[in-house]
Structures are given as C-alpha cells and as structure tokens.
Amino acid sequence: MVATAADIVVFLIAVLHLYILVLEMFLWDKSRGMRAFGLTREFASQTKTLAANQGLYNGFLAAGLAWGLYLGAAGLQVKVFFLACILVAGLYGAATASRKILFIQAIPASVGLALLYFA
C-alpha cells in the first residue's frame, strides 16, 4: 500500500517536471509562462535561452523518475537518486530564487523520499 502511494507520488512529480519543462522551454516568453514565473516580457525575452536550458534539466529529472518507475522494485535507488536531486535543487532554489520552489519541488520530493523509505 505504501509502495503504491510512493509510486503515485513519484509519477506525479515526474509529470510536474514535464510541465515545468514545457513552461521553461516553450512557454517562457508566452503569457502562461510569464504568469507562472512572474516575469516581465522584457526579462522573459532576455532569458529565454537560459530558461530552455533549465527546462531541459527538468526533463532529465522527469525521465529519471520515469526510468525508476519502469524498473519497478529494482528502480528504488534510481527513484531515490532523482528525488534527492529534486530536493537539493528545490532547497537551493527556495534559498536563492523563490520560496515558492520549496513547496513546488522540495516538499513533494521529501514526501516521495519518505514514502519510498517506509515502503
């Protein structure tokens, strides 16, 4: 039961990071992306390439979590590694960019790690 909950949380975090990929790579300078990140049109235009790079990294995180899920029980260490990466990135982002990142990335990753630990 806990293992199923852990996999559901890992799946949802992977989907979240795919959504962040779309926002950063394709919608950064569009109204939806600018609204999501609180950007001005000028700033979004100037940082579009940097954001696309960030989006690509979020895609790698999602791919890693999907890989861990695909491996089933053998993917535990893969899921732990990628959730730990998300946790560290979320803590760093919350400390340096926006406190909102703590709630969007770090806390969900912590919940996923806790569920995996107890599974």
Side-chain angles (χ1 to χ4, degrees), residues 50-86:
L50 294 171
N53 190 47
Q54 288 177 182
L56 186 61
Y57 283 100
N58 277 290
F60 292 143
L61 294 171
L65 293 176
W67 177 36
L69 289 169
Y70 173 78
L71 293 173
L76 175 63
Q77 292 177 335
V78 173
K79 291 181 273 190
V80 167
F81 173 78
F82 283 96
L83 286 175
C85 289
I86 293 168

Side-chain angles (χ1 to χ4, degrees), residues 13-97:
I13 293 170
V15 170
L16 171 66
H17 282 271
L18 284 177
Y19 179 65
I20 294 170
L21 173 147
V22 171
L23 284 174
E24 292 177 340
M25 292 189 79
F26 306 110
L27 302 177
W28 185 258
D29 60 347
K30 310 295 186 277
S31 60
R32 186 173 193 152
M34 291 188 301
R35 191 172 51 250
F37 296 104
L39 309 173
T40 64
R41 183 161 304 282
E42 181 181 5
F43 183 81
S45 176
Q46 292 171 345
T47 59
K48 184 176 181 176
T49 303
L50 294 171
N53 190 47
Q54 288 177 182
L56 186 61
Y57 283 100
N58 277 290
F60 292 143
L61 294 171
L65 293 176
W67 177 36
L69 289 169
Y70 173 78
L71 293 173
L76 175 63
Q77 292 177 335
V78 173
K79 291 181 273 190
V80 167
F81 173 78
F82 283 96
L83 286 175
C85 289
I86 293 168
L87 174 59
V88 170
L91 291 173
Y92 184 79
T96 61

